[in-house]
Amino acid sequence: MPPIQYTVAVRELCEFAAKQGDLDLRFTPSPTAEEGRAGHKTVASRRGPSHRAEVAVAGAFRELVVRGRADGFDDSKGLLEEVKTHRGDFELIPSNHRALHWAQAKIYGHLVCQQFGLSKLTLSLVYFEIGSECETPLTEHCTADELRQVFDALCMRFLDWAQRQLEHRAARDASLLSLQFPHAAFRTGQRTLAESTFRAATLGRCLLAQAPTGIGKTMATIFPLLKAAPQERLDKIFFLTAKGPGRALALDAIDVLRRSRPSISVRVIELVARETACEHPDKACHGGSCPLAKGFYDKLARARGAAAGLETLTRETLRKVALEHEVCPYYLSQEMVRWADVVVGDYNYYFDSAALLHGMTRASEWRVAVLVDEAHNLVDRARAMYSADLEAHVVRAVFKTAPVALRGPIGKLKRAVDTLAKGQEDAYKAYEEVPQRLTASLKDVSAAVSEHLATGPDAVDPDLLRLYFDVLRFVSLGESFSTHSLFDVSRSSQAGKARRARDATLCIRNVTPAPFLRPRFASAQTVVLFSATLSPHHFYADALGVPDDTAWLEVESPFTPDQLDVRIVSDVSTRFNHRQRSLAKISRLMATHYGSAPGNYLAFFSSFDYAEQAFEEFNRQHPAVPVWCQQRRMDGKERAAFLARFVHDGSGIGFAVLGGAFAEGIDLPGSRLVGAFVATLGLPQVNPVNEEMKRRLDLTAGDGYGYTYLYPGIRKIVQAAGRVIRTSDDRGHLFLIDDRFGRPEVKRLLPAWWRMQTCTSDACRPISPSRTRQPYAASEGDGAAGALQASEVLCSSSTMSFDSVTPSDASSSAPGAKATNSPA
Ligand code: SF4
């Protein structure tokens, strides 16, 4: 059923229709959310008994329903208050911000007049300064008729947009009802994943899905969610990725759907990082500096209208529209999120602490479905999002150049950092809590710099600003500090006390992001997290904090054991102390195997040092074999050159680092890659930080070794090994070189379809070269589009629909899947 009304919050209405003038993102210190809430409470507590706070109001204008909560209303005085908290001089609040605040006050004024049958009202815009707790009230007396006119004018401006949204929504839903799978048939395992995704959406549950590479996971998740969108009244689908290539896959998948069914009406937007979209990286985001910020809101309606005429807004198309209308492409993309049905962007946009998509979802009460691509990356990415550090040398440097007014608090912070660092004998130490003296000095610096910035200084030292942001982050994470995080101090040297104080780094280090991510999962109708490597699933469920009723799906591999010859080489240890001794054996093993089965190979090692040593040893012993080695900090061109050496039917060995750029997310089908040597168990380095994480995870999850070392390590092995077999036509070899691969607890974590044999480095039965060469069938293309086209050839029926799927359980019981409810 298409919606017949469009509901909008007062704030959203005003931000859409009442903003004027320049985009101005000059840094103005604003109160934190906590301070804002406290400020509102303080104001309310100063009012008399007839004052009512947080009054829910709603009204309509044709198809538009406008609703919100007025900050304060006193019936006996006919007084409506709109409270705004700020920091610093009231006069420094930009006039266009004040105009927006007045617009909000007047919209609330109209809704209150209507709701309470008033003919006039006194509006008071109360600015509350956080530091001094002083109020600056601005007052206007308005008749109900005047307020209605403001309401009508803003609604009229919004209505055109809202009506188009409603029309599009009806057309979108009608077109999606007849959406069909774009290929003749599903690939093995693809249907299972698609059905489970559909069921998860219809049941409003989350799904953790492990599905092998090559089954078309992107299409298997986007297609069912689009299919489910009309009946589940989904407003938006967010496709979130860890890296750029994932975004391209999602955009390609929607392109394929459109080409197979031109009548479908789905709007798509790609969000990229500010650094990528910015046209003037040397300028600041305000009208006085950047020409694309000048008059941004005055030009926005036309730019928005032009962008809305397209079906897909990629980085390139958005840029074109934005430049034609002389507005910033990055901020135009944020405005267009409201317009889109599918938003493709980085994890940050939904999971970070101030994430745009999550904020909009909450504010607009959207029903959203979230797809998390390559979800194994989310654990580390989320840990980084909820960690903060503070470097002693930055505090010292800023102290030396700080304005006089800031020297006191920054000096206090410097002393607090010094005391911690000098008093610590060990190079690394974790503390039970963030010391109170440090917390107090951090808060003082935060308040003092805020005051300073609020005076509108002509120029701000970038180092001071950097310290300020570090401090804000530290304070914010310090307030939520708990067993999910560590507070630690590390130093790079054991030198004297003065040196220790200089090179110390203080860190709030998130270990378990679950408490931060839980509300993100709760805000969505469904979240589907998928990857080829999500084992063991309880590790990901615990670390990410997915809801208790999250379903677990393991899609069986479409590949067969005879496609991959897996050898565990049991007489080599790649432990740190044994590496030197391992080089000759590894080199001999590789040469022997390569001699009997030549082709392109990747050889993975635990570090650059180890890879370089192995590369040199091999090159010295076997100079006739073409070899090339990954270098530290390769740029895009160098990475492409490394991969370009893997030509069809070529021969040679590329040495690389496990967990690096060539161990995940690269596609070398057919004879471009016939095997891999993995000379490491992939375990993260044993160091004081990891040992502390292990201790903490022992306490909180009961499996410190698994959660810190084993599971992340084996995941990297499986990802790297996954480069060898990309299609059902591929055949290849995999050598797992370390005695520990033979342990049952390690074997258990390796893919069930691998048939492993154990051998020694000098007795691995040579394999016929003909076996290596013969079965490869060259792929049409290496990228996403190629993979999807290949699927069209494979498929034989295009009539798949989900009509028969019963929403009994989000876990699939279809053949080709193992499904259980997660014990998370
Ligand atoms: S173009 Fe760059 S500097 Fe200008 S407003 Fe956009 S992001 Fe800011």
Side-chain angles (χ1 to χ4, degrees), residues 249-271:
L249 281 175
L251 294 171
D252 275 346
I254 292 166
D255 229 40
V256 168
L257 281 166
R258 282 213 190 102
R259 273 188 272 125
S260 78
R261 197 129 190 125
S263 59
I264 71 160
S265 177
V266 177
R267 297 161 164 182
V268 184
I269 189 168
E270 177 189 21
L271 296 181

Side-chain angles (χ1 to χ4, degrees), residues 23-25 273-275 277-287 289-294 296 323 327-332:
L23 179 83
D24 191 346
L25 294 169
R274 181 183 170 281
E275 306 82 68
C278 179
E279 289 289 315
H280 297 285
D282 55 327
K283 297 192 167 34
C285 302
H286 60 86
S289 173
C290 177
L292 300 181
K294 184 110 195 115
F296 179 88
L323 296 188
V327 295
C328 168
Y330 177 67
Y331 290 104
L332 177 61

Side-chain angles (χ1 to χ4, degrees), residues 4-53:
I4 49 168
Q5 288 184 318
Y6 193 100
T7 302
V8 62
V10 172
R11 189 188 173 119
E12 188 190 353
L13 171 70
C14 294
E15 291 203 339
F16 184 97
K19 276 190 170 176
Q20 293 170 348
D22 296 352
L23 179 83
D24 191 346
L25 294 169
R26 238 174 308 206
F27 184 72
T28 46
S30 50
T32 63
E34 190 50 48
E35 287 172 332
R37 277 191 290 273
H40 276 75
K41 271 191 189 158
T42 305
V43 173
S45 69
R46 291 172 178 173
R47 303 300 185 255
S50 53
H51 176 90
R52 289 163 58 190

Side-chain angles (χ1 to χ4, degrees), residues 260-413:
S260 78
R261 197 129 190 125
S263 59
I264 71 160
S265 177
V266 177
R267 297 161 164 182
V268 184
I269 189 168
E270 177 189 21
L271 296 181
V272 298
R274 181 183 170 281
E275 306 82 68
T276 312
C278 179
E279 289 289 315
H280 297 285
D282 55 327
K283 297 192 167 34
C285 302
H286 60 86
S289 173
C290 177
L292 300 181
K294 184 110 195 115
F296 179 88
Y297 291 107
D298 303 332
K299 297 179 235 170
L300 179 60
R302 292 171 73 97
R304 211 160 36 196
L310 302 170
E311 273 210 311
T312 297
L313 295 175
T314 59
R315 178 192 165 194
E316 291 76 21
T317 52
L318 257 166
R319 177 175 184 266
K320 190 163 176 282
V321 173
L323 296 188
E324 277 166 10
H325 291 82
E326 298 175 340
V327 295
C328 168
Y330 177 67
Y331 290 104
L332 177 61
S333 73
Q334 300 202 348
E335 294 287 334
M336 297 308 293
V337 166
R338 284 191 189 92
W339 160 93
D341 303 304
V342 181
V343 182
V344 180
D346 187 272
Y347 292 165
N348 278 321
Y349 279 109
Y350 191 75
F351 290 108
D352 208 344
S353 55
L356 173 84
L357 295 179
H358 182 246
M360 292 180 90
T361 299
R362 294 276 311 267
S364 302
E365 298 178 13
W366 289 333
R367 284 169 69 87
V368 301
V370 180
L371 293 172
V372 184
D373 179 36
E374 301 291 359
H376 59 273
N377 289 303
L378 187 56
V379 177
D380 284 345
R381 287 287 305 277
R383 281 176 175 160
M385 289 173 206
Y386 295 98
S387 295
D389 55 30
L390 190 69
E391 292 176 283
H393 74 90
V394 175
V395 180
R396 288 173 160 253
V398 174
F399 173 68
K400 282 184 191 154
T401 56
V404 180
L406 301 180
R407 286 180 67 84
I410 296 177
K412 212 169 113 192
L413 174 61

